[in-house]
């Protein structure tokens, strides 16, 4: 039990003592909530990326709290310029454990050169919400002009 449980037990003792009783017919158990965090990364075939490249996003939801986290909703909607499957799932993450989601995708052929692609994953849980992003850049295009020489 953490500080919240100690404070609650102390408050109940004072309440019971003030009412003239040292016994209670109801027992309260305070369970510290899970402590969830999220990280996200992207692995590129080329850096900077180019149209048609395979990319891999890795999302890690960790639970550093003392309680299991049930019904953790994990979502990741891929941004424009990236082709692949979105993530929308619910997972239980045990106390002290983590859950990893891997998303394979492809850079779209029509993505604009020199653009920056940002992808954000989120989690939602009764104990709180979180988000993390991964960013990559599309290779710029170059135009090469060569002089033409005409010989008569």
């Amino acid at each position: 039990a953490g500080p919240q449980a100690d404070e609650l037990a102390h408050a109940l003792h004072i309440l019971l003592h003030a009412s003239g009783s040292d016994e209670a017919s109801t027992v309260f158990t305070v369970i510290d909530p899970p402590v969830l965090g999220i990280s996200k990364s992207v692995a590129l075939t080329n850096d900077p990326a180019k149209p048609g490249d395979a990319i891999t996003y890795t999302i890690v939801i960790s639970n550093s709290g003392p309680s299991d986290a049930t019904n953790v909703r994990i979502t990741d909607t891929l941004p424009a310029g990236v082709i692949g499957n979105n993530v929308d799932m619910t997972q239980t993450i045990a106390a002290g454990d983590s859950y990893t989601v891997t998303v394979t995708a492809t850079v779209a052929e029509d993505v604009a050169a020199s653009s920056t692609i940002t992808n954000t994953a989120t989690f939602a849980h009764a104990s709180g919400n979180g988000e993390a992003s991964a960013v990559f850049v599309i290779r710029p295009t170059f135009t090469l002009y060569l002089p033409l020489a005409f010989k008569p």
Side-chain angles (χ1 to χ4, degrees):
Q4 293 173 336
D6 293 339
E7 290 172 14
L8 181 60
H10 182 71
L12 286 173
H13 177 74
I14 291 171
L15 179 64
L16 292 171
H17 189 65
S19 68
S21 172
D22 284 333
E23 296 183 25
S25 61
T26 304
V27 175
F28 294 95
T29 302
V30 176
I31 299 173
D32 290 330
V35 178
L36 297 173
I38 184 171
S39 65
K40 182 165 188 166
S41 61
V42 61
L44 305 172
T45 303
N46 296 292
D47 192 4
K50 61 182 183 176
D53 277 359
I55 59 174
T56 303
Y57 289 110
T58 302
I59 306 160
V60 179
I61 311 290
S62 59
N63 180 0
S64 61
S67 302
D68 292 352
T70 58
N71 298 318
V72 179
R73 184 171 182 203
I74 304 166
T75 59
D76 183 0
T77 301
L78 296 178
V82 176
I83 301 166
N85 294 321
N86 295 328
V87 174
D88 190 349
M89 63 190 311
T90 302
Q91 189 65 39
T92 294
I93 305 171
D97 205 358
S98 62
Y99 183 77
T100 301
V101 179
T102 303
V103 180
T104 56
T106 304
V107 177
E109 291 291 340
D110 61 351
V111 68
S114 300
S115 60
T116 298
I117 306 288
T118 302
N119 178 237
T120 302
T122 64
F123 74 83
H125 184 260
S127 67
N129 304 320
E131 67 178 39
S133 298
V135 178
F136 67 95
V137 176
I138 302 300
R139 178 180 295 172
T141 56
F142 298 99
T143 304
L144 181 62
Y145 295 99
L146 297 174
L148 296 175
F150 292 101
K151 290 189 175 190

